[in-house]
Amino acid sequence: MKNVPMHVAIIMDGNGRWAKNRGLARLHGHKRGLEVAEQIIDYSLAIGVKYLSLYVFSTENWKRPMTEVNNLFALADKYLARFEKFCKDRVRVVVSGEREGLPQKLVNRIDFIERQTKEFDAICVNLCINYGGQKEIVEAVKKLNRQGLEITKENIMDNMYCKLPEPDIIVRTGGQKRLSNFLLFQSAYAELFFTDTLWPDFTTEEFDSILAEYCKRSRNFGGLNGSE
């Protein structure tokens, strides 16, 4: 595929509704959602995407029942336990978000995986867990103040949870058309794609169609392209 985006970010919405539509508990939707996430990660690696950010758990998700919250953390831990596959595929894993409030077992797993995969370069999977874009900006500015550094775009970017390129594409499944506090600073010139497909029904074929549409778009970043 030509013009593969360097960084794709995805808001994986619709797990709960997918389960409800089938008369299942929400946990079944989240389990299926994890399977789809693994498929999209593998496919992104295969086609040459270098960075993939996935919105796993937002700071607002704490409002959900604790049973569901704990299930989400357990699924995140299950994915992070795939250390041998990360090594085989040379997948670097990083986590954006606040560690405070997370189960200690999950924090330990995150710390271990980030250390052990930091040199891998096939793809970087950025899991946004206990993440909020507004808080990320606030925390970055606080870091700059503590260091006595000037508040510039470059310095803010350097002090985000993870130092990654800005996303080329942000995809949201599930029918809603909003960013929901996801990568707010980084998304200034991202191409936005919204689909009614619930995340557990999202396929590599639909992902391909989004990437094909991305390739047709002219990205001039506020300037003029050749036809204007």
Side-chain angles (χ1 to χ4, degrees), residues 10-13 15 26 30 53-76 95-103 106 110 126-133 161 180-182:
I10 305 178
I11 302 171
M12 306 178 293
D13 194 17
N15 291 341
R26 291 174 63 86
H30 295 310
S53 292
L54 301 176
Y55 207 1
V56 177
F57 186 88
S58 77
T59 50
E60 288 72 36
N61 288 155
W62 288 104
K63 301 172 186 176
R64 297 184 179 187
M66 280 308 300
T67 300
E68 181 173 352
V69 169
N70 290 332
N71 285 333
L72 287 167
F73 291 152
L75 289 173
V95 174
S96 292
E98 294 292 315
R99 302 290 202 268
E100 185 178 355
L102 297 180
L106 179 57
I110 290 170
N126 174 35
L127 301 177
C128 298
I129 302 175
N130 200 17
Y131 175 88
Y161 290 124
S180 295
N181 205 13
F182 183 54

Side-chain angles (χ1 to χ4, degrees), residues 42-211:
D42 289 345
Y43 189 67
S44 297
L45 171 64
I47 65 175
V49 173
K50 301 304 293 183
Y51 299 87
L52 181 66
S53 292
L54 301 176
Y55 207 1
V56 177
F57 186 88
S58 77
T59 50
E60 288 72 36
N61 288 155
W62 288 104
K63 301 172 186 176
R64 297 184 179 187
M66 280 308 300
T67 300
E68 181 173 352
V69 169
N70 290 332
N71 285 333
L72 287 167
F73 291 152
L75 289 173
D77 185 74
K78 179 181 178 181
Y79 174 72
L80 290 169
R82 305 173 75 208
F83 178 60
E84 291 183 2
K85 180 169 175 56
F86 298 149
C87 293
K88 174 178 174 292
D89 294 341
R90 296 196 58 78
V91 174
R92 180 189 174 200
V93 180
V94 298
V95 174
S96 292
E98 294 292 315
R99 302 290 202 268
E100 185 178 355
L102 297 180
Q104 190 58 49
K105 178 185 176 184
L106 179 57
V107 172
N108 293 343
R109 181 86 72 182
I110 290 170
D111 291 342
F112 173 80
I113 290 298
E114 287 189 328
R115 286 196 309 271
Q116 296 300 318
T117 66
K118 65 180 180 180
E119 302 299 330
F120 296 162
D121 57 4
I123 189 173
C124 177
V125 176
N126 174 35
L127 301 177
C128 298
I129 302 175
N130 200 17
Y131 175 88
Q134 292 175 330
K135 185 168 181 58
E136 181 177 38
I137 296 168
V138 170
E139 293 302 318
V141 172
K142 286 181 179 178
K143 288 179 187 177
L144 295 181
N145 284 334
R146 287 196 296 268
Q147 299 170 55
L149 296 174
E150 183 182 0
I151 298 175
T152 65
K153 174 194 171 183
E154 291 73 22
N155 284 342
I156 290 174
M157 286 293 293
D158 286 346
N159 283 275
M160 292 300 198
Y161 290 124
C162 298
K163 190 174 179 181
L164 303 174
E166 297 172 36
D168 301 295
I169 293 177
I170 295 180
V171 178
R172 181 173 187 145
T173 63
Q176 303 296 332
K177 294 179 173 62
R178 57 177 179 264
L179 291 177
S180 295
N181 205 13
F182 183 54
L183 301 180
L184 297 182
F185 194 83
Q186 301 93 321
S187 65
Y189 282 100
E191 298 295 320
L192 306 181
F193 293 86
F194 301 99
T195 173
D196 290 334
T197 303
L198 302 178
W199 177 248
D201 289 328
F202 192 72
T203 64
T204 56
E205 288 77 15
E206 184 168 4
F207 192 29
D208 267 340
S209 70
I210 289 171
L211 296 178

